[in-house]
Amino acid sequence: MDWFDIGVNLSNGRAAIEPIIARASAAGVNTIMLTGTSVSESQKALDLCLIHANSLYSTAGVHPHYAQDVSDDFIEQLRQIASHKQVVAIGECGLDFNRNFSSKADQLKVFEQQLALAVECKKPVFLHERDAFAEQIHLLRKYRGSLVGGVVHCFTGNLEQMQAYLALDLYIGITGWVCDSKRGQDLQEAVKHLPLDRLLLETDSPYLRPKGLPNNRKVDRGSNEPAYLPFIAEQLANIMEHELDVVQAHSVANGRTLFGVLGEC
């Protein structure tokens, strides 16, 4: 089977990149989207895409944790990065009020600027949200009519929250969080009601290593990898009561639909 991992952090230098890509390919994960979390990380992600143009794509954005650190011209810098055809979304952007590494005011300002950039570039948004659902939905409703689309990256919420995002015609990104029988109970219940045509799969590696991964499927002792995406899909298919090939086919087709046709900045 061919798989599409829409959320991978490869530019942070945590592990050798080439072996990770090779192991992903061996597992059938032949299309990977790298996540940009700052201007510099977005540029690094793009640089990797230029080396692996047949398999890697990326996003360009500023994570809410780093909203306080942006320069006055950060939107122009993102605009230049996003003008490249390998960059298929704006983000990772959104709101994170869990620890408030940046102030709420800075987060709201930087998020809205990136929503406006996504409208301008005609590229979907790659969204992050933690403990900021009401504020995030408010801004998304303001811009959704002008956005070409988007995905709620690494969704870990409940059914009510998922339905609110679906009402905005957004895609839902499912990670190994769904494999966690303790922390992932709300998500496990929500995905039973997730339409297949709104499903996207991601590892968010090297974070969120899926629980229950068999020893014979592990390639190291700690980090998550794109090679584990099929395992996540297997667990999700069981919860959703679908055949694995159905989950695979829809997730890949949805990824190609959302990210495959690029606008120009």
Side-chain angles (χ1 to χ4, degrees), residues 98-110:
N98 180 259
R99 294 185 181 179
N100 286 323
F101 289 119
S102 291
S103 71
K104 291 183 178 181
D106 284 342
Q107 289 187 48
L108 287 162
K109 179 181 178 180
V110 168

Side-chain angles (χ1 to χ4, degrees), residues 38-245:
S38 66
V39 171
S40 62
E41 289 299 306
S42 297
Q43 183 61 57
K44 291 177 184 178
L46 173 56
D47 291 343
L48 289 172
C49 290
L50 297 179
I51 298 172
H52 300 276
N54 293 327
S55 59
L56 299 187
Y57 296 89
S58 66
T59 73
V62 174
H63 189 287
H65 284 346
Y66 311 124
Q68 66 180 4
D69 301 320
V70 297
S71 62
D72 292 340
D73 65 341
F74 86 98
I75 285 294
E76 176 57 32
Q77 294 181 63
L78 289 179
R79 182 182 290 113
Q80 292 179 14
I81 296 170
S83 67
H84 198 285
K85 65 180 182 180
Q86 296 295 119
V87 180
V88 297
I90 300 299
E92 180 177 357
C93 61
L95 302 173
D96 192 318
F97 296 166
N98 180 259
R99 294 185 181 179
N100 286 323
F101 289 119
S102 291
S103 71
K104 291 183 178 181
D106 284 342
Q107 289 187 48
L108 287 162
K109 179 181 178 180
V110 168
F111 181 31
E112 187 160 11
Q113 287 176 291
Q114 290 179 90
L115 289 174
L117 179 63
V119 171
E120 175 190 341
C121 293
K122 298 182 175 61
K123 294 190 177 184
V125 284
F126 191 80
L127 298 165
H128 173 102
E129 181 268 315
R130 190 176 184 189
D131 294 347
F133 176 76
E135 295 87 347
Q136 181 119 327
I137 281 289
H138 175 75
L139 270 179
L140 287 173
R141 286 172 177 160
K142 176 179 178 180
Y143 282 87
R144 183 62 187 95
S146 302
L147 290 167
V148 299
V151 56
V152 184
H153 154 63
C154 190
F155 178 74
T156 59
N158 58 34
L159 176 58
E160 181 181 4
Q161 292 169 336
M162 186 184 77
Q163 289 175 331
Y165 284 125
L166 291 173
L168 295 177
D169 202 29
L170 296 169
Y171 290 83
I172 305 296
I174 302 298
T175 66
W177 192 273
V178 79
C179 303
D180 191 325
S181 59
K182 293 182 179 180
R183 296 190 301 171
Q185 289 182 352
D186 283 345
L187 178 60
Q188 289 177 352
E189 182 58 34
V191 296
K192 295 176 183 178
H193 306 275
L194 175 59
L196 285 168
D197 64 357
R198 295 287 103 185
L199 166 66
L200 292 172
L201 291 174
E202 54 179 320
T203 57
D204 199 26
S205 58
Y207 317 111
L208 295 183
R209 185 184 179 105
K211 299 288 187 181
L213 189 67
N215 286 332
N216 64 356
R217 301 282 290 271
K218 296 176 181 178
V219 298
D220 64 29
R221 296 183 178 179
S223 294
N224 193 11
E225 291 204 4
Y228 300 150
L229 191 73
F231 174 78
I232 296 171
E234 290 169 10
Q235 310 314 302
L236 178 62
N238 289 334
I239 296 169
M240 297 181 75
E241 298 184 345
H242 290 301
E243 294 296 326
L244 179 60
D245 61 349

